[in-house]
Amino acid sequence: MAVIFDPLRGRTRPSASNPDEDIIDELIAGAAGGGTEDWVVLTGAGMSTDSGVPDYRGPDAVPRQPMTIQTFMSHPDQRARYWARSWVGWPRMRGSRPNAGHLGLAQLPVAGVITQNVDGLHQKAAAEEGSSSPVIDLHGSLDRVICLARGHMFDRDWVQRRLSELNPDFAELVGIDPIDVETAPDGDVDLEETQDFKVLDCPECDGILKPDVVYFGDSVPASRLQAANRICDEAEGIVVLGSSLAVLSGLRFVRAAAKASKPVVIVTDGPTRGDELADYRSISRVTEFVDAWAFRRIQGDDGKLPL
C-alpha cells in the first residue's frame, strides 16, 4: 500500500487573528458590503466530526492510511478489501445526521458551499432548513456507486443489499458487529480479514464498481471543478470551515482567492496548509463558530471589521 505523505508535518496551530465576534462581524457585513451572500464556503472533515464522522488530521484523529485509486485498481483482493470495509461501515455512515454546524450554515444564504466531505450531510441540512445555496460535492458522494467501464450509476443502498445477499455470513465469519464499529471519514472501517468477501460487478456490463468518490491519487472530475471555480470566481471572499487544506483540491481555491486579493477566513482548531494566506483565523470548533454566525445574522448586526 502506498504511504500517504502528510503535508501538515511540522506545522503548528496558529493563534487566532481576532476574537470570533469580530470575524463574524466581517462575515455578516460581506466582503464587498453585500452581506453573507458575498462568501463561498469550503468545508472539510472537521465540519462533520460532531455528527460522529471522524477526520483524518484533527487533534484527536486516529492515524489512518486511506486507500489510493492505484491500490483499488491493482488487484481484485484490494477491491474486496475496500468493499468489505465499506459494507460494514455504510449503515453507520448512512445514519449520520447533520450537526448544528451543518444546520447553521444551511440557514445562511451564502454564495455556495463546496465540500470536500463525501457524507452528504450538507444536502440533508439544506433539505431540513430549506436552503437554496448550491452545494458541490468536490470529492463525490458515498451514496452513489459508479461503473468504471461505462459510467453506469447505482444507488448505494441497492449495492448494499446486493452485497449483503452475496455475503450473508460475512459479519459472523469475521466476528464483528456493524453497530459497534467506528467508521473512517470515507465510510469504511478497519478490518483485516476481507479475502472471503464477494464483490459485486456492474450488473449492466460486468465492469468494476467503486463509490462515486475521489480517492487519494485520483482527480476531481473536470465538470465538477469548473462548477466550483465558477462559484469561487463570482464570490467576493472565501470561508474555510474544518479543513486542514492538506490536499490541493481544496487549497487551490484559497490560493486563487488570495491571489485575487479576496479576503480569506479560516476556521478550524488545528493547523492548515493555508494559514499564511488567511486574513482572519479562528481556532474555535467549527460547530460553535457557525452556530454563532447564524445566530448573529438572525440578530441583524451590521458591524464590520475593516481589512
Side-chain angles (χ1 to χ4, degrees), residues 41-70:
V41 178
L42 173 70
T43 71
M47 190 83 201
S48 295
T49 52
D50 285 347
S51 293
V53 181
D55 59 5
Y56 277 116
R57 299 181 178 88
D60 300 320
V62 176
R64 303 177 189 272
Q65 285 288 348
M67 181 170 284
T68 66
I69 187 62
Q70 292 82 7

PDB file of all heavy atoms in Angstrom, residues 41-70:
ATOM      1  N   VAL A  41     -18.199  29.102   0.768  1.00  0.00           N
ATOM      2  CA  VAL A  41     -17.727  28.341   1.925  1.00  0.00           C
ATOM      3  C   VAL A  41     -17.139  27.017   1.454  1.00  0.00           C
ATOM      4  O   VAL A  41     -17.761  26.277   0.674  1.00  0.00           O
ATOM      5  CB  VAL A  41     -18.881  28.083   2.915  1.00  0.00           C
ATOM      6  CG1 VAL A  41     -18.391  27.239   4.086  1.00  0.00           C
ATOM      7  CG2 VAL A  41     -19.451  29.403   3.423  1.00  0.00           C
ATOM      8  N   LEU A  42     -15.922  26.720   1.911  1.00  0.00           N
ATOM      9  CA  LEU A  42     -15.260  25.448   1.645  1.00  0.00           C
ATOM     10  C   LEU A  42     -15.205  24.659   2.942  1.00  0.00           C
ATOM     11  O   LEU A  42     -14.687  25.152   3.943  1.00  0.00           O
ATOM     12  CB  LEU A  42     -13.837  25.694   1.119  1.00  0.00           C
ATOM     13  CG  LEU A  42     -12.954  24.459   0.938  1.00  0.00           C
ATOM     14  CD1 LEU A  42     -13.453  23.598  -0.219  1.00  0.00           C
ATOM     15  CD2 LEU A  42     -11.495  24.871   0.715  1.00  0.00           C
ATOM     16  N   THR A  43     -15.755  23.457   2.954  1.00  0.00           N
ATOM     17  CA  THR A  43     -15.789  22.669   4.187  1.00  0.00           C
ATOM     18  C   THR A  43     -14.974  21.397   4.060  1.00  0.00           C
ATOM     19  O   THR A  43     -14.821  20.824   2.982  1.00  0.00           O
ATOM     20  CB  THR A  43     -17.234  22.303   4.595  1.00  0.00           C
ATOM     21  OG1 THR A  43     -17.763  21.338   3.693  1.00  0.00           O
ATOM     22  CG2 THR A  43     -18.125  23.533   4.623  1.00  0.00           C
ATOM     23  N   GLY A  44     -14.450  20.959   5.214  1.00  0.00           N
ATOM     24  CA  GLY A  44     -13.684  19.721   5.290  1.00  0.00           C
ATOM     25  C   GLY A  44     -14.205  18.825   6.390  1.00  0.00           C
ATOM     26  O   GLY A  44     -15.274  19.056   6.964  1.00  0.00           O
ATOM     27  N   ALA A  45     -13.417  17.808   6.728  1.00  0.00           N
ATOM     28  CA  ALA A  45     -13.875  16.764   7.651  1.00  0.00           C
ATOM     29  C   ALA A  45     -14.236  17.305   9.026  1.00  0.00           C
ATOM     30  O   ALA A  45     -15.106  16.757   9.713  1.00  0.00           O
ATOM     31  CB  ALA A  45     -12.807  15.684   7.778  1.00  0.00           C
ATOM     32  N   GLY A  46     -13.591  18.406   9.447  1.00  0.00           N
ATOM     33  CA  GLY A  46     -13.906  18.986  10.752  1.00  0.00           C
ATOM     34  C   GLY A  46     -15.333  19.488  10.852  1.00  0.00           C
ATOM     35  O   GLY A  46     -15.847  19.690  11.958  1.00  0.00           O
ATOM     36  N   MET A  47     -15.982  19.658   9.725  1.00  0.00           N
ATOM     37  CA  MET A  47     -17.385  20.069   9.716  1.00  0.00           C
ATOM     38  C   MET A  47     -18.280  18.945  10.229  1.00  0.00           C
ATOM     39  O   MET A  47     -19.360  19.200  10.776  1.00  0.00           O
ATOM     40  CB  MET A  47     -17.791  20.433   8.281  1.00  0.00           C
ATOM     41  CG  MET A  47     -19.130  21.106   8.151  1.00  0.00           C
ATOM     42  SD  MET A  47     -19.008  22.871   8.469  1.00  0.00           S
ATOM     43  CE  MET A  47     -20.714  23.246   8.865  1.00  0.00           C
ATOM     44  N   SER A  48     -17.864  17.704  10.065  1.00  0.00           N
ATOM     45  CA  SER A  48     -18.739  16.567  10.358  1.00  0.00           C
ATOM     46  C   SER A  48     -18.362  15.783  11.605  1.00  0.00           C
ATOM     47  O   SER A  48     -19.029  14.801  11.937  1.00  0.00           O
ATOM     48  CB  SER A  48     -18.760  15.607   9.153  1.00  0.00           C
ATOM     49  OG  SER A  48     -19.343  16.221   8.025  1.00  0.00           O
ATOM     50  N   THR A  49     -17.306  16.195  12.307  1.00  0.00           N
ATOM     51  CA  THR A  49     -16.907  15.412  13.472  1.00  0.00           C
ATOM     52  C   THR A  49     -17.979  15.388  14.553  1.00  0.00           C
ATOM     53  O   THR A  49     -18.138  14.384  15.255  1.00  0.00           O
ATOM     54  CB  THR A  49     -15.589  15.948  14.060  1.00  0.00           C
ATOM     55  OG1 THR A  49     -15.704  17.359  14.289  1.00  0.00           O
ATOM     56  CG2 THR A  49     -14.426  15.688  13.120  1.00  0.00           C
ATOM     57  N   ASP A  50     -18.742  16.479  14.685  1.00  0.00           N
ATOM     58  CA  ASP A  50     -19.815  16.496  15.684  1.00  0.00           C
ATOM     59  C   ASP A  50     -21.017  15.667  15.258  1.00  0.00           C
ATOM     60  O   ASP A  50     -21.979  15.529  16.029  1.00  0.00           O
ATOM     61  CB  ASP A  50     -20.238  17.933  15.986  1.00  0.00           C
ATOM     62  CG  ASP A  50     -19.236  18.665  16.864  1.00  0.00           C
ATOM     63  OD1 ASP A  50     -18.358  17.987  17.431  1.00  0.00           O
ATOM     64  OD2 ASP A  50     -19.321  19.904  16.968  1.00  0.00           O
ATOM     65  N   SER A  51     -20.975  15.123  14.042  1.00  0.00           N
ATOM     66  CA  SER A  51     -22.003  14.173  13.595  1.00  0.00           C
ATOM     67  C   SER A  51     -21.526  12.732  13.759  1.00  0.00           C
ATOM     68  O   SER A  51     -22.183  11.799  13.309  1.00  0.00           O
ATOM     69  CB  SER A  51     -22.358  14.429  12.130  1.00  0.00           C
ATOM     70  OG  SER A  51     -22.994  15.671  11.972  1.00  0.00           O
ATOM     71  N   GLY A  52     -20.350  12.566  14.384  1.00  0.00           N
ATOM     72  CA  GLY A  52     -19.814  11.231  14.607  1.00  0.00           C
ATOM     73  C   GLY A  52     -18.968  10.708  13.478  1.00  0.00           C
ATOM     74  O   GLY A  52     -18.579   9.534  13.487  1.00  0.00           O
ATOM     75  N   VAL A  53     -18.652  11.559  12.488  1.00  0.00           N
ATOM     76  CA  VAL A  53     -17.797  11.156  11.376  1.00  0.00           C
ATOM     77  C   VAL A  53     -16.384  11.636  11.683  1.00  0.00           C
ATOM     78  O   VAL A  53     -16.152  12.849  11.749  1.00  0.00           O
ATOM     79  CB  VAL A  53     -18.278  11.764  10.043  1.00  0.00           C
ATOM     80  CG1 VAL A  53     -17.387  11.294   8.898  1.00  0.00           C
ATOM     81  CG2 VAL A  53     -19.734  11.396   9.776  1.00  0.00           C
ATOM     82  N   PRO A  54     -15.421  10.746  11.890  1.00  0.00           N
ATOM     83  CA  PRO A  54     -14.077  11.183  12.275  1.00  0.00           C
ATOM     84  C   PRO A  54     -13.347  11.850  11.125  1.00  0.00           C
ATOM     85  O   PRO A  54     -13.728  11.719   9.958  1.00  0.00           O
ATOM     86  CB  PRO A  54     -13.386   9.873  12.680  1.00  0.00           C
ATOM     87  CG  PRO A  54     -14.099   8.820  11.895  1.00  0.00           C
ATOM     88  CD  PRO A  54     -15.528   9.279  11.791  1.00  0.00           C
ATOM     89  N   ASP A  55     -12.271  12.586  11.456  1.00  0.00           N
ATOM     90  CA  ASP A  55     -11.456  13.202  10.420  1.00  0.00           C
ATOM     91  C   ASP A  55     -10.104  12.497  10.340  1.00  0.00           C
ATOM     92  O   ASP A  55      -9.786  11.630  11.144  1.00  0.00           O
ATOM     93  CB  ASP A  55     -11.293  14.704  10.653  1.00  0.00           C
ATOM     94  CG  ASP A  55     -10.641  15.031  11.992  1.00  0.00           C
ATOM     95  OD1 ASP A  55     -10.227  14.083  12.694  1.00  0.00           O
ATOM     96  OD2 ASP A  55     -10.550  16.220  12.331  1.00  0.00           O
ATOM     97  N   TYR A  56      -9.324  12.872   9.336  1.00  0.00           N
ATOM     98  CA  TYR A  56      -8.013  12.253   9.143  1.00  0.00           C
ATOM     99  C   TYR A  56      -6.913  12.963   9.921  1.00  0.00           C
ATOM    100  O   TYR A  56      -5.928  12.354  10.314  1.00  0.00           O
ATOM    101  CB  TYR A  56      -7.639  12.253   7.651  1.00  0.00           C
ATOM    102  CG  TYR A  56      -8.239  11.110   6.884  1.00  0.00           C
ATOM    103  CD1 TYR A  56      -9.162  11.342   5.875  1.00  0.00           C
ATOM    104  CD2 TYR A  56      -7.874   9.794   7.142  1.00  0.00           C
ATOM    105  CE1 TYR A  56      -9.719  10.291   5.147  1.00  0.00           C
ATOM    106  CE2 TYR A  56      -8.420   8.737   6.440  1.00  0.00           C
ATOM    107  CZ  TYR A  56      -9.336   8.998   5.433  1.00  0.00           C
ATOM    108  OH  TYR A  56      -9.880   7.956   4.726  1.00  0.00           O
ATOM    109  N   ARG A  57      -7.057  14.299  10.096  1.00  0.00           N
ATOM    110  CA  ARG A  57      -5.905  15.058  10.584  1.00  0.00           C
ATOM    111  C   ARG A  57      -6.205  15.940  11.793  1.00  0.00           C
ATOM    112  O   ARG A  57      -5.369  16.741  12.178  1.00  0.00           O
ATOM    113  CB  ARG A  57      -5.351  15.931   9.451  1.00  0.00           C
ATOM    114  CG  ARG A  57      -4.867  15.123   8.253  1.00  0.00           C
ATOM    115  CD  ARG A  57      -4.300  16.024   7.174  1.00  0.00           C
ATOM    116  NE  ARG A  57      -3.802  15.245   6.053  1.00  0.00           N
ATOM    117  CZ  ARG A  57      -4.526  14.867   5.019  1.00  0.00           C
ATOM    118  NH1 ARG A  57      -5.800  15.192   4.962  1.00  0.00           N
ATOM    119  NH2 ARG A  57      -3.999  14.161   4.040  1.00  0.00           N
ATOM    120  N   GLY A  58      -7.384  15.835  12.381  1.00  0.00           N
ATOM    121  CA  GLY A  58      -7.700  16.662  13.538  1.00  0.00           C
ATOM    122  C   GLY A  58      -6.873  16.269  14.744  1.00  0.00           C
ATOM    123  O   GLY A  58      -6.180  15.248  14.752  1.00  0.00           O
ATOM    124  N   PRO A  59      -6.938  17.084  15.819  1.00  0.00           N
ATOM    125  CA  PRO A  59      -6.134  16.827  17.015  1.00  0.00           C
ATOM    126  C   PRO A  59      -6.350  15.445  17.619  1.00  0.00           C
ATOM    127  O   PRO A  59      -5.438  14.871  18.200  1.00  0.00           O
ATOM    128  CB  PRO A  59      -6.589  17.936  17.970  1.00  0.00           C
ATOM    129  CG  PRO A  59      -7.099  19.029  17.083  1.00  0.00           C
ATOM    130  CD  PRO A  59      -7.722  18.329  15.910  1.00  0.00           C
ATOM    131  N   ASP A  60      -7.569  14.918  17.507  1.00  0.00           N
ATOM    132  CA  ASP A  60      -7.872  13.615  18.106  1.00  0.00           C
ATOM    133  C   ASP A  60      -7.984  12.493  17.071  1.00  0.00           C
ATOM    134  O   ASP A  60      -8.443  11.392  17.383  1.00  0.00           O
ATOM    135  CB  ASP A  60      -9.187  13.702  18.897  1.00  0.00           C
ATOM    136  CG  ASP A  60      -9.122  14.735  20.010  1.00  0.00           C
ATOM    137  OD1 ASP A  60      -8.074  14.825  20.663  1.00  0.00           O
ATOM    138  OD2 ASP A  60     -10.129  15.459  20.212  1.00  0.00           O
ATOM    139  N   ALA A  61      -7.551  12.763  15.842  1.00  0.00           N
ATOM    140  CA  ALA A  61      -7.707  11.781  14.771  1.00  0.00           C
ATOM    141  C   ALA A  61      -6.785  10.584  14.983  1.00  0.00           C
ATOM    142  O   ALA A  61      -5.629  10.725  15.375  1.00  0.00           O
ATOM    143  CB  ALA A  61      -7.415  12.429  13.419  1.00  0.00           C
ATOM    144  N   VAL A  62      -7.334   9.397  14.701  1.00  0.00           N
ATOM    145  CA  VAL A  62      -6.537   8.172  14.735  1.00  0.00           C
ATOM    146  C   VAL A  62      -5.764   8.074  13.416  1.00  0.00           C
ATOM    147  O   VAL A  62      -6.343   8.260  12.350  1.00  0.00           O
ATOM    148  CB  VAL A  62      -7.453   6.940  14.897  1.00  0.00           C
ATOM    149  CG1 VAL A  62      -6.637   5.657  14.846  1.00  0.00           C
ATOM    150  CG2 VAL A  62      -8.233   7.049  16.198  1.00  0.00           C
ATOM    151  N   PRO A  63      -4.445   7.794  13.463  1.00  0.00           N
ATOM    152  CA  PRO A  63      -3.683   7.677  12.211  1.00  0.00           C
ATOM    153  C   PRO A  63      -4.291   6.627  11.290  1.00  0.00           C
ATOM    154  O   PRO A  63      -4.600   5.517  11.711  1.00  0.00           O
ATOM    155  CB  PRO A  63      -2.280   7.257  12.687  1.00  0.00           C
ATOM    156  CG  PRO A  63      -2.202   7.753  14.099  1.00  0.00           C
ATOM    157  CD  PRO A  63      -3.597   7.618  14.645  1.00  0.00           C
ATOM    158  N   ARG A  64      -4.484   6.997  10.012  1.00  0.00           N
ATOM    159  CA  ARG A  64      -5.105   6.095   9.055  1.00  0.00           C
ATOM    160  C   ARG A  64      -4.353   6.145   7.736  1.00  0.00           C
ATOM    161  O   ARG A  64      -3.719   7.142   7.406  1.00  0.00           O
ATOM    162  CB  ARG A  64      -6.575   6.477   8.806  1.00  0.00           C
ATOM    163  CG  ARG A  64      -7.443   6.505  10.049  1.00  0.00           C
ATOM    164  CD  ARG A  64      -8.855   6.965   9.717  1.00  0.00           C
ATOM    165  NE  ARG A  64      -9.667   7.201  10.897  1.00  0.00           N
ATOM    166  CZ  ARG A  64     -10.389   6.283  11.509  1.00  0.00           C
ATOM    167  NH1 ARG A  64     -10.410   5.053  11.040  1.00  0.00           N
ATOM    168  NH2 ARG A  64     -11.103   6.586  12.581  1.00  0.00           N
ATOM    169  N   GLN A  65      -4.452   5.066   6.984  1.00  0.00           N
ATOM    170  CA  GLN A  65      -3.888   5.007   5.647  1.00  0.00           C
ATOM    171  C   GLN A  65      -5.032   4.801   4.665  1.00  0.00           C
ATOM    172  O   GLN A  65      -5.456   3.668   4.418  1.00  0.00           O
ATOM    173  CB  GLN A  65      -2.864   3.860   5.526  1.00  0.00           C
ATOM    174  CG  GLN A  65      -1.537   4.151   6.187  1.00  0.00           C
ATOM    175  CD  GLN A  65      -0.724   5.183   5.429  1.00  0.00           C
ATOM    176  OE1 GLN A  65      -1.030   5.528   4.290  1.00  0.00           O
ATOM    177  NE2 GLN A  65       0.311   5.711   6.058  1.00  0.00           N
ATOM    178  N   PRO A  66      -5.593   5.869   4.100  1.00  0.00           N
ATOM    179  CA  PRO A  66      -6.700   5.712   3.159  1.00  0.00           C
ATOM    180  C   PRO A  66      -6.256   4.994   1.896  1.00  0.00           C
ATOM    181  O   PRO A  66      -5.090   5.080   1.485  1.00  0.00           O
ATOM    182  CB  PRO A  66      -7.107   7.158   2.856  1.00  0.00           C
ATOM    183  CG  PRO A  66      -5.858   7.945   3.102  1.00  0.00           C
ATOM    184  CD  PRO A  66      -5.176   7.274   4.251  1.00  0.00           C
ATOM    185  N   MET A  67      -7.180   4.277   1.272  1.00  0.00           N
ATOM    186  CA  MET A  67      -6.859   3.564   0.038  1.00  0.00           C
ATOM    187  C   MET A  67      -6.694   4.545  -1.110  1.00  0.00           C
ATOM    188  O   MET A  67      -7.479   5.476  -1.262  1.00  0.00           O
ATOM    189  CB  MET A  67      -7.953   2.545  -0.282  1.00  0.00           C
ATOM    190  CG  MET A  67      -7.673   1.742  -1.550  1.00  0.00           C
ATOM    191  SD  MET A  67      -8.803   0.341  -1.780  1.00  0.00           S
ATOM    192  CE  MET A  67      -8.149  -0.828  -0.586  1.00  0.00           C
ATOM    193  N   THR A  68      -5.682   4.326  -1.921  1.00  0.00           N
ATOM    194  CA  THR A  68      -5.477   5.136  -3.115  1.00  0.00           C
ATOM    195  C   THR A  68      -6.191   4.489  -4.301  1.00  0.00           C
ATOM    196  O   THR A  68      -6.511   3.290  -4.286  1.00  0.00           O
ATOM    197  CB  THR A  68      -3.987   5.271  -3.451  1.00  0.00           C
ATOM    198  OG1 THR A  68      -3.470   3.983  -3.820  1.00  0.00           O
ATOM    199  CG2 THR A  68      -3.204   5.810  -2.243  1.00  0.00           C
ATOM    200  N   ILE A  69      -6.424   5.272  -5.343  1.00  0.00           N
ATOM    201  CA  ILE A  69      -7.045   4.715  -6.544  1.00  0.00           C
ATOM    202  C   ILE A  69      -6.140   3.673  -7.183  1.00  0.00           C
ATOM    203  O   ILE A  69      -6.604   2.678  -7.744  1.00  0.00           O
ATOM    204  CB  ILE A  69      -7.398   5.846  -7.553  1.00  0.00           C
ATOM    205  CG1 ILE A  69      -8.203   5.289  -8.719  1.00  0.00           C
ATOM    206  CG2 ILE A  69      -6.152   6.576  -8.013  1.00  0.00           C
ATOM    207  CD1 ILE A  69      -9.533   4.678  -8.353  1.00  0.00           C
ATOM    208  N   GLN A  70      -4.825   3.873  -7.066  1.00  0.00           N
ATOM    209  CA  GLN A  70      -3.883   2.908  -7.644  1.00  0.00           C
ATOM    210  C   GLN A  70      -3.993   1.553  -6.936  1.00  0.00           C
ATOM    211  O   GLN A  70      -3.982   0.498  -7.585  1.00  0.00           O
ATOM    212  CB  GLN A  70      -2.450   3.446  -7.552  1.00  0.00           C
ATOM    213  CG  GLN A  70      -2.182   4.655  -8.432  1.00  0.00           C
ATOM    214  CD  GLN A  70      -2.642   5.966  -7.811  1.00  0.00           C
ATOM    215  OE1 GLN A  70      -3.054   6.013  -6.644  1.00  0.00           O
ATOM    216  NE2 GLN A  70      -2.565   7.052  -8.578  1.00  0.00           N
TER     217      GLN A  70
END
